[in-house]
Amino acid sequence: MTQRNFTRRFLLGSAAVLAGATLLPQGVLAAEPIKVAGVYTVPVEQQWVSRIHKAAEAAQERGDIEYTFTENVSNTDYARVLREYAEAGNQLIVGEVFGAEAEAREVAADYPEVAFLMGSSFKQDEALPNFAVFDNYIQDAAYLSGIIAGAMTESGNIGMVGGFPIPEVNRLMHAFMAGAQEMNPDIKFQVSFIGSWFDPPKAKETAFAMVEQGADVLYAERFGVSDAAQEKGVLAIGNVIDTQAEYPETVVASALWHFEPTLDAAIAAVKAGEFKADDYGRYSFMSEGGSSLAPLGTFEGKVPAEALDMVKEREQAIKDGSFTVDINDEEPKSS
């Protein structure tokens, strides 16, 4: 899905337009809501996008923005929708361009007065000063959820189902695996990718196969995995959102993503006339309030004390900077 070798030819043609445009125009009054549009390739119910949508709705409720959005936009249609929102006077456009990287940056080059904040596998480019990137760097919380998983598995066999093996997914899986191995270095992992961001039936079938191969804990990077865990009577670890209410006897813990710090920083920058090419990924770190470990809820008292003590110790160390979770973007492999 990610276009890793996209060309930068469009930057050459836009150099004259962008020359000197290090900051967006001043003049947006802090008290006035700014117009923000969201462009999403999946339904807003999907885990990852739901966090962006939730943060935007919260910002609108408190009067900071006027928010509109379009969901289920195909990669081939993405640039057209971006242009329509730019032409409609939106001051900030947020979305995810993993499958339309070059096209999205071309649009941004044509509308230097509009701020673009896009989920991306690539970094910002100073030659495109109105295009900032972000990502869900929630490896801190994923690591902590791995510690719990490592304490809960009895077979020492954990199944992991992801969408695509891109950095956004890989780094969370690696962090989770590292946490699990803190509790048991001999744990084995089954790793598989379904080639889709939203295909619950396929994720479910993949998870079923892992349970048949001995997994008693499943890492639910995609929707459908927790359904399989529930049906097979094994445990699951959630990702990005907390689904324990739907699976009270199945989902032990979840690594949560909070997009509010990311979006709020971008809104403030646009209002101040200071939005620029930047990497907003840092706002997803636990130390910035961008990620957390969900409450144990129905599993309170069921997780070994040794694991909880380690989670508490490491969480504090992560927040004060004395412990750093490695960021490994390479594709994880089965043991």
Side-chain angles (χ1 to χ4, degrees):
M1 183 173 181
T2 304
Q3 299 177 356
R4 294 200 166 279
N5 296 312
F6 75 96
T7 175
R8 293 180 180 269
R9 56 181 171 76
F10 56 91
L11 294 178
L12 299 176
S14 61
V17 176
L18 297 174
T22 56
L23 298 176
L24 292 180
Q26 304 266 349
V28 179
L29 297 178
E32 296 180 351
I34 64 172
K35 292 184 65 176
V36 176
V39 184
Y40 311 123
T41 62
V42 293
V44 292
E45 292 81 12
Q46 189 258 12
Q47 299 114 298
W48 201 86
V49 162
S50 73
R51 302 302 86 190
I52 304 173
H53 185 65
K54 176 177 179 287
E57 288 189 318
Q60 177 170 250
E61 186 174 337
R62 65 174 183 257
D64 284 346
I65 68 174
E66 295 177 8
Y67 173 58
T68 187
F69 68 94
T70 301
E71 58 188 337
N72 292 315
V73 178
S74 67
N75 290 331
T76 55
D77 219 20
Y78 205 87
R80 177 188 64 78
V81 178
L82 287 180
R83 288 185 185 279
E84 288 180 354
Y85 276 129
E87 290 286 346
N90 285 282
Q91 294 149 285
L92 172 64
I93 301 177
V94 61
E96 12 88 44
V97 298
F98 300 109
E101 192 81 43
E103 296 85 350
R105 294 188 186 226
E106 286 177 347
V107 174
D110 290 339
Y111 296 92
E113 75 286 358
V114 179
F116 291 80
L117 177 65
M118 294 290 160
S120 172
S121 292
F122 295 92
K123 295 301 183 182
Q124 73 276 18
D125 192 318
E126 298 303 323
L128 198 58
N130 62 324
F131 192 97
V133 299
F134 69 86
D135 213 338
N136 63 326
Y137 282 90
I138 63 170
Q139 66 281 341
D140 298 329
Y143 170 82
L144 298 180
S145 72
I147 293 175
I148 292 176
M152 297 300 286
T153 178
E154 295 180 359
S155 67
N157 187 325
I158 295 178
M160 308 181 69
V161 181
F164 291 88
I166 64 172
E168 294 68 30
V169 176
N170 298 345
R171 71 175 67 107
L172 305 188
M173 284 188 164
H174 278 296
F176 172 86
M177 294 162 81
Q181 289 178 323
E182 287 275 15
M183 296 305 298
N184 180 359
D186 296 323
I187 285 178
K188 303 299 181 184
F189 299 96
Q190 300 178 58
V191 180
S192 185
F193 299 93
I194 63 172
S196 172
W197 293 126
F198 195 73
D199 191 344
K202 188 172 183 179
K204 184 177 180 180
E205 289 301 320
T206 302
F208 277 154
M210 292 179 171
V211 175
E212 292 298 321
Q213 293 298 315
D216 64 349
V217 174
L218 297 173
Y219 176 73
E221 199 272 329
R222 293 291 102 191
F223 277 152
V225 177
S226 294
D227 292 308
Q230 181 174 252
E231 290 187 26
K232 292 294 186 179
V234 301
L235 302 176
I237 301 294
N239 181 56
V240 175
I241 62 176
D242 186 0
T243 60
Q244 192 183 77
E246 291 75 36
Y247 309 94
E249 303 302 319
T250 302
V251 175
V252 184
S254 298
L256 307 183
W257 184 29
H258 309 293
F259 193 70
E260 287 78 3
T262 304
L263 183 60
D264 292 350
I267 291 171
V270 172
K271 286 191 172 187
E274 297 175 350
F275 191 89
K276 61 182 180 179
D278 200 356
D279 184 355
Y280 279 69
R282 63 187 181 278
Y283 293 108
S284 290
F285 282 42
M286 187 172 282
S287 60
E288 296 286 343
S291 61
S292 68
L293 187 65
L296 291 177
T298 56
F299 279 86
E300 195 73 49
K302 300 177 183 179
V303 178
E306 178 188 3
L308 296 181
D309 289 344
M310 180 176 287
V311 166
K312 183 178 180 180
E313 176 188 332
R314 291 292 165 79
E315 182 176 4
Q316 181 57 45
I318 288 169
K319 289 180 177 179
D320 67 27
S322 60
F323 181 81
T324 300
V325 177
D326 289 338
I327 297 176
N328 184 347
D329 289 345
E330 297 300 314
E331 180 177 344
K333 304 292 185 181
S334 296
S335 301

